[in-house]
Amino acid sequence: MTTFTKALTLGLTAVGIAAPAMAQDLTFWSWRQEDRAVYEKLIEAFEAENPGINVEFEAFEASSYATILSTALAGESGPDLMMVRAYGAFEAVAGANYLMPLTEADVPGLADMTGPAIAAQTLRADGKIYGVPFASQTMLVIYNKDIYAQLGLEEPETWDELVANAKAIQDAGMFGFANGTATAWQNETIVSALASSTIGAEFFDEIVEGTTDFTDPRFVEGLSNLEEISAYFPKGFTGLDYASAQQLFASGMAGMFAGGSFEIANFRSQNPDLNLGVFAAPGESADDEKLVGVFFDGGYAANATTEHPEAAKKFLAYTATSEFGQVFANELGNITPIPGVTFDDELINEIGALNRSAVPYIMLTNFRYEEPSGSVLLQAEVQKMLAGESTPEDAAKAVTDGIATYYAPFQD
Amino acid sequence: MPSTTTNGIEPKPISRARLRLSGRGMWITFLLVPPMVVMALFVIYPILSALAYAFYDWQGLARGEFVGFANFKKVLFQEPFASTTWNAFKHNIYVFFALMIIQNGLGFILAYALWRDLPGARFHRIAVFLPVVLSTVIIGYVWKLFFHPIFGAVNQLLEAIGLGALATPWLGDADTALNALIFVNAWAWVGFPTLVFLAGLQRIPSEILDAARMETDSELTLIRKVVWPLIAPSATVCFVLLFIGSFNWFELPYIMVGLDGSPYGNTDVLGLYFYRTAFGNQSAGIQDFGMGSALAVLMFLFIAVFATAWTIYLRKREIEV
């Protein structure tokens, strides 16, 4: 044995002995208990490519996840990797310096994502990105294709056609829309799903810039349209809660449901025979751009104080690859912001196409950082308006006045 | 020891008494310390820390600067929070008075009927108390179904008996939502005051009643002059517990109308407002521990002060009569 081979053998032995000690164990927290199998499969693929890094997936109940995560982070016993929410709820965690800032050097996939996706995981105070955005939700009209076919209806091109379709369904003894307003947040969803095209993309650009407010005639017209079409909601819809509305649609008693793309999985599991279609609610004329409302659900983030920052970054980089996105989209039925992903599911594919003409789900994306949040105001005011207790103008004014208490551009 | 020798008392019993006392003392200590530790840890400490939280500004979970009474000022005087607070508080007061009449009033009438042993009293004694044993979650869920605007039993019953015009989305109508909740609460809990009043009635010695019956034929006079004063301790229990319950009202509205006090704040009460302020309403708002804690402290102070004052007053009345 030469000195060199001796040294090499010794060196390799030393590395062999030390290797287990160098294994990097990462914990990964999530609120998606139901997605465990898919995540474990994704993690396995990652571990195969990155020997020495072990990722352990742990899921918690969704409604208490925020409390569990924030308590753990505050007590310095948080995970290395975690799912975080977007916008205001994201800032509650990121703003407390619990998360590791990410750059395009760490996570190359971020460079290819759209502005709104990145904005959902950016802390406004320092402009840094703290999470890899993972799924978007789309507010649109979901309809029962069989009912449409049975009544000879077509996807509407104008607002009046939408109203006519709803009326035709109601005349046939069913509910035009399954929606109810008893569950407050449904009111915000309905506005985005039904009125985005009437309101128009320019309004949303201007509101983000701060050059207009919600008393703008375009927004008021959107609310008026909503008031008009609520005539085709079920009788007593002011007392109809979210779960009941879902059941009405899933059981085939209603022709349409104005809501989020997240409803589709639920409708399919409640009634696998349901033949679903989607469209963006149209504007006044067929030439108006057909818009859907979009928001991002959350992102994958790393703990600022993790013992293995490099391994954590590697994992986050992996969550922004098309390899990850493909599985995430097709096995979990999510719409991912990772470009170049193809969807096996026809309906998801269609929603992906509708997302190309989208406006933000404005109260969540821009006015849920301070109290009273735009969502709190809009939900209550629309509920009141649809109950016939106020007018679109009053509702728009109340929303603007509420936000103006802390938002300077609305104050003059 | 001159004293023991002169009057002939042995010192031994004294020391034994002392021993027994110290044994007893230890026993008392043993019984008192664990609950006191639990109380301190899980009741007093959280109240004090909520009090401390209320004086800080919170950025999400991170405690910011000390802001003095700013959070209190915000929930009490700054719009739009102030009107939400007063709106919720007003509803609590309404709930309290409505339940005083319906729940405690009916409870007393039922107790009196059961006490007079009207036919079927044994069955009704159980029937009246049965809903009290049910979990609030179940009661809320079942009644939410009964009030369902399309399939609900209440509306269908109204239509079946030709009163379809009265059918309304009970929980979605601003005029009926809070009353519907009060009705359900009274339905569920009327058994409790009934039981407490019944226990009080059964403790009245029959000689007193026999004597009173010789004086008057009127049942009402009997109730007013004899029965009611004698069950004053039961009334104290029912009144004070209802007071505390009404101002801490949370579970039933939470299950039946949600955190927002739907429709548009018409069923909002302080418990709901506190919860969504402190812990955030996932689908609408953000969490603000400072304002939430300020609300919690105000609720605690209000309930503690008024419940104590009222208890003292009611106790005094018990003795006077």
Side-chain angles (χ1 to χ4, degrees), chain B residues 40-256:
Chain B
L41 206 62
F42 295 106
V43 180
I44 299 167
Y45 172 70
I47 290 173
L48 289 180
S49 60
L51 187 67
Y53 286 173
F55 290 100
Y56 286 88
D57 182 34
W58 289 77
Q59 302 297 327
L61 298 156
R63 197 169 74 179
E65 286 167 34
F66 180 83
V67 292
F69 284 95
N71 287 321
F72 292 93
K73 251 193 239 160
K74 231 169 149 183
V75 294
L76 286 177
F77 306 111
Q78 187 185 319
E79 288 301 335
F81 309 106
S83 42
T84 313
T85 310
W86 294 114
N87 178 49
F89 183 58
K90 220 174 60 200
H91 288 150
N92 280 111
I93 294 175
Y94 179 73
V95 168
F96 168 65
F97 282 108
L99 287 177
M100 265 304 265
I101 296 167
I102 306 174
Q103 191 168 304
N104 279 345
L106 196 64
F108 177 74
I109 295 171
L110 284 172
Y112 197 76
L114 291 174
W115 179 58
R116 295 303 306 268
D117 247 338
L118 300 177
R122 280 181 67 181
F123 165 75
H124 284 103
R125 199 151 51 208
I126 297 166
V128 160
F129 195 70
L130 211 55
V132 178
V133 198
L134 287 175
S135 135
T136 312
V137 182
I138 297 169
I139 293 166
Y141 180 73
V142 169
W143 275 98
K144 202 171 155 180
L145 286 182
F146 286 166
F147 284 131
H148 193 287
I150 301 168
F151 311 112
V154 176
N155 279 355
Q156 289 193 339
L157 186 78
L158 285 173
E159 261 153 48
I161 58 173
L163 292 173
L166 293 179
T168 175
W170 297 98
L171 295 174
D173 191 325
D175 299 327
T176 55
L178 189 60
N179 291 324
L181 290 182
I182 289 168
F183 168 79
V184 174
N185 197 87
W187 175 85
W189 283 95
V190 72
F192 180 74
T194 306
L195 208 72
V196 174
F197 282 129
L198 185 60
L201 289 168
Q202 283 168 342
R203 271 211 320 254
I204 300 175
S206 55
E207 303 85 53
I208 295 181
L209 289 168
D210 293 340
R213 287 229 163 80
M214 294 168 83
E215 299 285 329
T216 174
D217 283 334
S218 157
E219 193 80 17
L220 266 180
T221 316
L222 186 75
I223 291 174
R224 232 182 49 232
K225 301 268 178 193
V226 181
V227 173
W228 184 247
L230 283 173
I231 60 162
S234 308
T236 305
V237 171
C238 290
F239 291 178
V240 173
L241 285 182
L242 182 73
F243 178 81
I244 297 171
S246 301
F247 284 90
N248 275 333
W249 214 33
F250 177 75
E251 294 96 328
L252 197 69
Y254 175 62
I255 295 156
M256 292 185 68

Side-chain angles (χ1 to χ4, degrees), chain A residues 344-398:
Chain A
D344 292 345
D345 187 302
E346 185 48 41
L347 207 56
I348 303 288
N349 217 1
E350 223 175 298
I351 296 170
L354 289 174
N355 279 353
R356 285 197 271 276
S357 320
V359 291
Y361 190 59
I362 193 72
M363 293 309 186
L364 169 59
T365 60
N366 289 65
F367 299 101
R368 218 185 267 184
Y369 297 93
E370 271 170 88
E371 290 288 356
S373 75
S375 298
V376 166
L377 295 161
L378 183 68
Q379 292 174 9
E381 290 305 323
V382 170
Q383 203 174 32
K384 194 170 175 181
M385 177 190 85
L386 292 180
E389 299 288 324
S390 80
T391 64
E393 288 80 11
D394 292 343
K397 185 168 184 309

Side-chain angles (χ1 to χ4, degrees), chain A residues 159-202:
Chain A
W159 179 259
D160 291 337
E161 283 177 32
L162 178 63
V163 175
N165 282 358
K167 185 171 187 310
I169 298 168
Q170 185 165 304
D171 291 344
M174 289 168 281
F175 300 118
F177 284 87
N179 296 85
T181 61
T183 305
W185 66 269
Q186 278 286 294
N187 293 279
E188 186 180 358
T189 313
I190 294 168
V191 173
S192 185
L194 290 172
S196 287
S197 303
T198 318
I199 297 167
E202 295 82 21

